[in-house]
Amino acid sequence: MQVEESPCNLLSVRVIGAKNLRQADIISHSDCYISLWLPTASSTRFQTKTVQNSKDPVWNETFHFMVQRKVKNMLELSIYDKDVCSQDDQLFTVRFDVAGLPLNEKVLMSFKLNPEYHEELEVEFQLHNSSSAPETIMTNGVLLSRQICCLNFEVQKKKAKKMKKGLSLMVKGSHEAHQEFDFDSDNCVRPLCQSIFHYAKYKHPILEVKLPKKGLDYVFGPCSHNQEEGSLNVEINSLPNSKKITLAENNKFALHVKTEDCQNNLDVRLGYDLCPQEQDFLRKRKNIVAGALKKVLRLEKDLQEHEIPVVAIVTTGGSTRSLTAFYGSLRGLQKLNLIDCASYLSGLSGTTWTMGNLYKDAYWSRKDLNEQINETKRHVTKSKLDCFSIERLKYYSRQLHQRKQEGQKTSCIDLWGLVIEYLLNDGKDSHKLSDQQQAVNEGQNPLPIYSAINVKKKYSTLDFKEWAEFTPYEVGILKYGVFVRTEDFGSEFFMGRLMKRIPESRICYLQGMWSSILSFNLLYFWNLSHGSEDFWHKWTRDHIVDIDEEPPLPSRPHELKTQLYTPAGPFSSAFRDMLIDRFSVAQYHNFLRGLQLDNSYLENDMFRRWKDTVLDSSSPNQLTQSEEYLILEDTGFFINSSCAPLLRQERKVDVILHLNYNSGSQTEPLEQMCKYCREQGIPFPSFELSDNEKEHLKECYVCKGAESPEAPILLFFPQVNDTFRYYKAPGVKRSPSEMKDGEVDTSSNCTPYSTYSLTFSSEEYDKLVELSEYNILNNEHLILQALRTAVERKIRRNNPSYQAS
């Protein structure tokens, strides 16, 4: 993260007029006005007057903004047709990058809205120096935090008796936004009430006060006071800093305010490096991995630090099926002494249930897993009828009420999390994700990483999703390089500062979100049956095109092209909503809220590595930093693999054991991951099988990524019943009476291991555990071969003359 002083500039925008505007209806020419929105400089949408019944309206109005040149400032000029009886019609929006403007020059521009019909919008810009002091900003090259201030206010009540009307205070764009003081209730019987607003210093902050309409004896000079409406407005930056003043007063109350600069230290971590705790974990884990590799590979000498490969175990989801099968895979790896060779263990959906159980025990990987497997078996095979008993429903209601009282936003996903708690436990599970630090603080287990995706309303998963990761140390969104302590996830943040601490969620609520089967929409089911939503893109995508401007400005660094957004009609919008609205989503307070995009964010290598949404370069104002809540759901709604967090180049993963528990196609998750990495330019092995090979899958495939030397070695384990039919252990054939034990149906339409099956019989559970274990044990030679190759790669990179024995 860089800290620097950066001056602001003054931007003047004169909206001159438009020519040959289209008609919004067939009755008359449009009654148009322009809305100006520059959210990085002001929280207010400004608006011109309305010009009646004209296709060539002239406004000739000027608006002023204070802009930070280090920020990506996208001005949106929207033309609306005023309607008296219905909502105003939006004709189109021009998105203009202020970074293209020269300093201290007037620029008259004509935006070509529709060259065929000669539609144009004329606007004059002027960007010049500001006399304000430089602003302290902190940036990681993608997102930056700006200087924030506090507005402290006190409402002093002068009379003991109750008053019929109170005060309403608003600062748009602040963290608190709006606060009320009701003199006619018991919450204001004290003589003095105090509160605070946090706001960005250079965003034209305005304090709006709704007052009793009776007169005031005193109003502070710069205030705008309307006695008839009972309103009081003041530009906060016009108030003296660090000095308490009386803003308004009469014989019943007095309103005192004081502005102060806030602390500059951030409570989020802006940066793409691994956090110090994970780096410390890796140093400790390397000693364990080095000893384990020496043992399993039968090395004659100890590995040096630079020779130790980073090994990761990656899973796919699948509800109770993946919960069960993952235990079997881990037991196989444990028998081969390979768990101690791994530094990371990542999961999604049902495998997060396994991981949640494992990491309650700080030394689980050093103990016999049979005890955990048998305990989970008891819960998987138990009757689920009590899940919705009257007593259980009352418990759910109490827990959700408590969660809401704590400040969390609740949904059906939280109820699903409580159901998971019942499925895996006898009673309440108080375990939290941060508690798992005890299981890794000595490097004694692989570091668990849980994955999810952040999505957006009004957009399909194909068009908008952002990888999120959860570890016992931090929660972050990979694309932006912004992380918070796991204990603070779910708390309220503004501009990188912690505003309100909310108790950390119990892990069952996170498991509900990580495996949020209720976050489906119609497009999801279309994808399941057809494999692609391309057919629906004309209904679900925004209509955005690049447009010409005259005169063309000289190209400047980091400048985005001017674009025209045309909103869909009411029928298309309704149809889009029907297709992509999700049944239920998990929402958590957005720890990116208030942060702004660095002007050069698109040139940042780390951002470009994960840049894949339709909004990344077309609509930066709409990206996640502008949202109040994160919308998080199961990674399986995009790609059913927990691989993405392991592909952060800072983790330097050398070997991936990809354990597949997907229903349906066993190769699809890996094929999707390969395609995604190829499109994103992320080093990753290729994986291609013919249709015939897919019909006869092997137990393990090794992909070394020869075409990409930086790619990790990947071992792929599909969930197949191949030689297990005939062998109860590697090299040990089944007797005729034991052949039925090898019959495990994992793929047919009648399989007992459906994603939606939460209960298995005791026999079904044991068979799935044994199959998954067997497939690991039977391919020991391939795993050891991959580990040996990874060690040789590491040695060769530091010693090019090295020759493998």
Side-chain angles (χ1 to χ4, degrees):
M1 181 181 71
Q2 295 180 338
V3 181
E4 56 186 279
E5 300 289 320
S6 180
C8 292
N9 296 132
L10 292 176
L11 172 66
S12 298
V13 182
R14 183 164 71 97
V15 181
I16 299 172
K19 297 178 181 178
N20 301 310
L21 287 183
R22 68 197 72 174
Q23 291 181 234
D25 54 58
I26 61 174
I27 299 175
S28 65
H29 290 298
S30 301
D31 306 324
C32 290
Y33 64 88
I34 299 280
S35 170
L36 296 89
W37 188 43
L38 186 55
T40 52
S42 176
S43 300
T44 302
R45 289 179 184 263
F46 297 99
Q47 183 176 315
T48 67
K49 63 179 180 289
T50 300
V51 177
Q52 301 289 334
N53 194 22
S54 175
K55 68 174 183 177
D56 301 311
V58 175
W59 294 284
N60 200 27
E61 296 184 47
T62 302
F63 303 86
H64 303 282
F65 303 91
M66 183 174 288
V67 297
Q68 170 58 254
R69 289 298 290 268
K70 280 289 293 180
V71 169
K72 175 54 66 181
N73 297 293
M74 292 294 293
L75 174 64
E76 299 195 8
L77 299 156
S78 301
I79 299 186
Y80 286 87
D81 174 29
K82 185 76 172 177
D83 284 325
V84 177
C85 301
S86 62
Q87 185 177 357
D88 296 349
D89 297 317
Q90 183 182 357
L91 301 183
F92 45 73
T93 296
V94 173
R95 293 171 179 164
F96 175 72
D97 189 352
V98 174
L101 294 173
L103 195 60
N104 299 321
E105 291 183 27
K106 282 188 177 181
V107 178
L108 178 62
M109 300 193 68
S110 176
F111 298 108
K112 305 300 181 182
L113 309 177
N114 188 334
E116 182 180 356
Y117 296 101
H118 306 290
E119 282 185 301
E120 298 179 11
L121 174 65
E122 290 186 329
V123 183
E124 181 184 79
F125 299 96
Q126 186 172 14
L127 191 68
H128 44 93
N129 292 321
S130 167
S131 59
S132 62
E135 183 179 13
T136 301
I137 62 170
M138 289 162 276
T139 179
N140 64 357
V142 172
L143 284 179
L144 59 79
S145 174
R146 300 181 64 179
Q147 197 168 332
I148 68 170
C149 296
C150 308
L151 176 66
N152 301 282
F153 63 85
E154 300 176 348
V155 180
Q156 181 182 3
K157 189 176 179 182
K158 295 183 177 180
K159 292 187 176 182
K161 67 178 184 179
K162 293 183 179 181
M163 299 168 58
K164 291 184 178 181
K165 293 186 177 180
L167 296 178
S168 173
L169 298 97
M170 178 184 296
V171 179
K172 291 180 180 178
S174 68
H175 168 69
E176 294 76 11
H178 181 253
Q179 300 194 44
E180 296 273 354
F181 288 91
D182 188 357
F183 291 135
D184 196 28
S185 67
D186 293 334
N187 71 347
C188 203
V189 296
R190 296 168 294 162
L192 194 67
C193 296
Q194 299 175 313
S195 196
I196 191 170
F197 284 104
H198 295 84
Y199 61 92
K201 184 173 184 179
Y202 291 102
K203 279 189 67 175
H204 294 288
I206 304 291
L207 172 64
E208 303 176 29
V209 186
K210 291 292 184 181
L211 300 158
K213 293 187 179 180
K214 293 186 178 180
L216 296 173
D217 300 328
Y218 170 78
V219 176
F220 183 67
C223 293
S224 171
H225 176 220
N226 187 318
Q227 182 172 331
E228 290 184 4
E229 296 180 359
S231 64
L232 188 71
N233 291 350
V234 59
E235 291 188 13
I236 298 177
N237 287 344
S238 68
L239 301 175
N241 195 39
S242 301
K243 181 181 178 181
K244 181 178 177 179
I245 66 166
T246 301
L247 198 64
E249 185 177 19
N250 63 16
N251 62 345
K252 295 182 180 179
F253 72 91
L255 179 60
H256 310 289
V257 297
K258 179 182 178 181
T259 63
E260 294 179 307
D261 292 337
C262 293
Q263 53 93 12
N264 277 329
N265 295 331
L266 299 184
D267 298 303
V268 303
R269 185 172 68 85
L270 286 178
Y272 289 89
D273 290 338
L274 302 180
C275 68
Q277 297 92 330
E278 184 172 341
Q279 294 181 39
D280 183 57
F281 161 81
L282 288 173
R283 283 191 289 270
K284 295 174 181 177
R285 186 66 180 172
K286 275 189 174 182
N287 295 327
I288 295 172
V289 171
L293 286 172
K294 182 180 180 182
K295 181 178 179 180
V296 299
L297 297 180
R298 300 178 182 179
L299 302 177
E300 295 181 357
K301 59 180 181 178
D302 294 339
L303 291 172
Q304 301 299 308
E305 183 175 351
H306 64 270
E307 299 171 345
I308 304 170
V310 177
V311 179
I313 301 170
V314 170
T315 64
T316 65
S319 187
T320 310
R321 179 185 64 253
S322 59
L323 159 77
T324 305
F326 194 18
Y327 272 120
S329 299
L330 289 173
R331 191 168 71 181
L333 291 171
Q334 187 182 61
K335 288 183 177 181
L336 298 177
N337 298 310
L338 291 173
I339 291 181
D340 277 347
C341 296
S343 296
Y344 292 105
L345 186 65
S346 71
L348 76 160
S349 192
T351 56
T352 68
W353 306 356
T354 312
M355 293 163 66
N357 283 342
L358 291 172
Y359 282 86
K360 292 177 188 175
D361 186 337
Y363 296 94
W364 69 266
S365 65
R366 300 182 181 179
K367 299 178 181 179
D368 188 336
L369 283 176
N370 282 321
E371 182 178 343
Q372 284 233 26
I373 289 172
N374 290 332
E375 175 64 13
T376 301
K377 175 182 177 180
R378 184 171 68 84
H379 291 293
V380 170
T381 58
K382 71 184 179 184
S383 171
K384 305 302 188 290
L385 293 178
D386 288 341
C387 185
F388 292 102
S389 66
I390 298 299
E391 287 303 313
R392 199 68 192 173
L393 291 174
K394 289 180 180 178
Y395 170 76
Y396 296 157
S397 179
R398 290 194 302 270
Q399 294 300 307
L400 293 177
H401 178 73
Q402 177 184 345
R403 185 164 171 77
K404 190 173 182 179
Q405 291 294 106
E406 291 172 347
Q408 298 285 10
K409 194 164 186 177
T410 60
S411 71
C412 292
I413 302 300
D414 298 299
L415 176 60
W416 169 234
L418 292 171
V419 171
I420 293 172
E421 179 188 50
Y422 167 79
L423 298 178
L424 303 178
N425 301 274
D426 290 320
K428 182 177 180 179
D429 181 10
S430 299
H431 186 64
K432 299 180 176 67
L433 180 55
S434 64
D435 295 337
Q436 296 182 9
Q437 294 175 18
Q438 299 302 315
V440 292
N441 59 4
E442 299 172 11
Q444 69 268 40
N445 298 300
L447 182 72
I449 302 178
Y450 305 83
S451 62
I453 51 174
N454 177 52
V455 297
K456 196 176 181 71
K457 292 180 180 179
K458 305 295 184 184
Y459 289 91
S460 72
T461 306
L462 185 62
D463 282 339
F464 190 96
K465 71 280 170 187
E466 297 172 331
W467 298 102
E469 69 171 37
F470 298 72
T471 77
Y473 299 126
E474 283 191 324
V475 177
I477 299 184
L478 275 57
K479 183 167 71 177
Y480 300 105
V482 182
F483 300 84
V484 293
R485 297 190 322 146
T486 300
E487 297 90 330
D488 294 334
F489 174 69
S491 293
E492 296 183 26
F493 286 80
F494 179 70
M495 201 64 82
R497 283 83 167 179
L498 180 60
M499 296 286 108
K500 180 182 178 182
R501 191 179 300 279
I502 294 176
E504 182 184 356
S505 295
R506 295 191 288 118
I507 198 166
C508 67
Y509 293 116
L510 298 182
Q511 289 171 324
M513 174 263 293
W514 293 328
S515 57
S516 51
I517 59 174
L518 301 175
S519 296
F520 58 80
N521 56 25
L522 290 180
L523 271 185
Y524 172 69
F525 291 109
W526 172 267
N527 288 343
L528 287 180
S529 58
H530 293 80
S532 172
E533 63 185 63
D534 292 343
F535 175 80
W536 300 109
H537 266 177
K538 70 175 182 178
W539 299 104
T540 61
R541 279 193 166 174
D542 296 333
H543 183 64
I544 300 174
V545 295
D546 295 340
I547 60 171
D548 295 329
E549 52 195 36
E550 291 184 0
L553 295 174
S555 179
R556 294 178 179 274
H558 321 310
E559 178 189 358
L560 294 181
K561 293 183 178 180
T562 301
Q563 295 181 323
L564 181 73
Y565 162 72
T566 305
F571 173 78
S572 296
S573 296
F575 189 55
R576 173 174 177 165
D577 291 345
M578 182 183 71
L579 287 172
I580 63 181
D581 274 1
R582 297 169 177 87
F583 176 75
S584 183
V585 292
Q587 297 188 64
Y588 288 85
H589 292 288
N590 181 13
F591 54 86
L592 279 69
R593 186 183 173 209
L595 296 171
Q596 297 183 350
L597 286 167
D598 192 290
N599 192 36
S600 59
Y601 78 102
L602 284 173
E603 278 68 50
N604 186 281
D605 289 339
M606 297 297 101
F607 184 86
R608 288 191 298 181
R609 186 181 183 90
W610 304 105
K611 178 179 78 72
D612 67 340
T613 85
V614 296
L615 302 181
D616 285 334
S617 48
S618 67
S619 308
N621 290 343
Q622 320 291 333
L623 283 174
T624 300
Q625 77 284 348
S626 65
E627 300 293 341
E628 184 176 359
Y629 292 95
L630 298 174
I631 301 177
L632 296 163
E633 65 178 34
D634 190 332
T635 306
F637 283 107
F638 176 45
I639 297 176
N640 188 17
S641 171
S642 60
C643 202
L646 280 310
L647 300 181
R648 287 177 59 188
Q649 62 185 29
E650 300 81 16
R651 291 201 165 110
K652 303 175 182 177
V653 173
D654 300 290
V655 179
I656 292 176
L657 276 65
H658 196 293
L659 309 176
N660 185 78
Y661 311 121
N662 189 51
S663 63
S665 170
Q666 291 296 300
T667 61
E668 184 180 46
L670 183 55
E671 289 170 337
Q672 289 176 331
M673 201 72 224
C674 290
K675 179 176 181 291
Y676 178 82
C677 291
R678 185 168 60 249
E679 292 172 348
Q680 299 301 119
I682 298 173
F684 196 76
S686 61
F687 177 77
E688 295 181 6
L689 295 179
S690 67
D691 291 340
N692 183 59
E693 288 172 320
K694 290 180 182 180
E695 289 292 325
H696 303 87
L697 287 172
K698 296 187 295 185
E699 296 163 347
C700 181
Y701 295 84
V702 180
C703 311
K704 295 185 179 181
E707 69 285 350
S708 178
E710 298 299 317
I713 299 171
L714 186 139
L715 291 95
F716 174 57
F717 289 84
Q719 187 73 57
V720 295
N721 185 4
D722 187 14
T723 60
F724 181 72
R725 299 173 188 272
Y726 313 106
Y727 292 84
K728 61 182 179 181
V732 181
K733 284 190 174 183
R734 298 184 185 277
S735 65
S737 63
E738 294 172 328
M739 292 300 289
K740 64 178 182 179
D741 295 332
E743 297 173 1
V744 187
D745 177 10
T746 61
S747 58
S748 77
N749 293 331
C750 300
T751 176
Y753 304 113
S754 163
T755 300
Y756 302 102
S757 178
L758 299 178
T759 304
F760 299 157
S761 70
S762 178
E763 182 182 14
E764 290 165 350
Y765 181 88
D766 289 340
K767 282 185 175 182
L768 187 56
V769 171
E770 290 165 5
L771 169 65
S772 302
E773 176 188 359
Y774 173 88
N775 285 349
I776 294 292
L777 297 176
N778 198 45
N779 291 278
E780 176 186 12
H781 62 294
L782 293 179
I783 301 174
L784 296 181
Q785 184 184 75
L787 293 176
R788 186 172 289 107
T789 301
V791 170
E792 291 173 354
R793 275 187 180 183
K794 301 284 283 189
I795 296 174
R796 191 177 296 111
R797 286 172 186 169
N798 291 276
N799 182 11
S801 62
Y802 167 81
Q803 296 292 325
S805 58

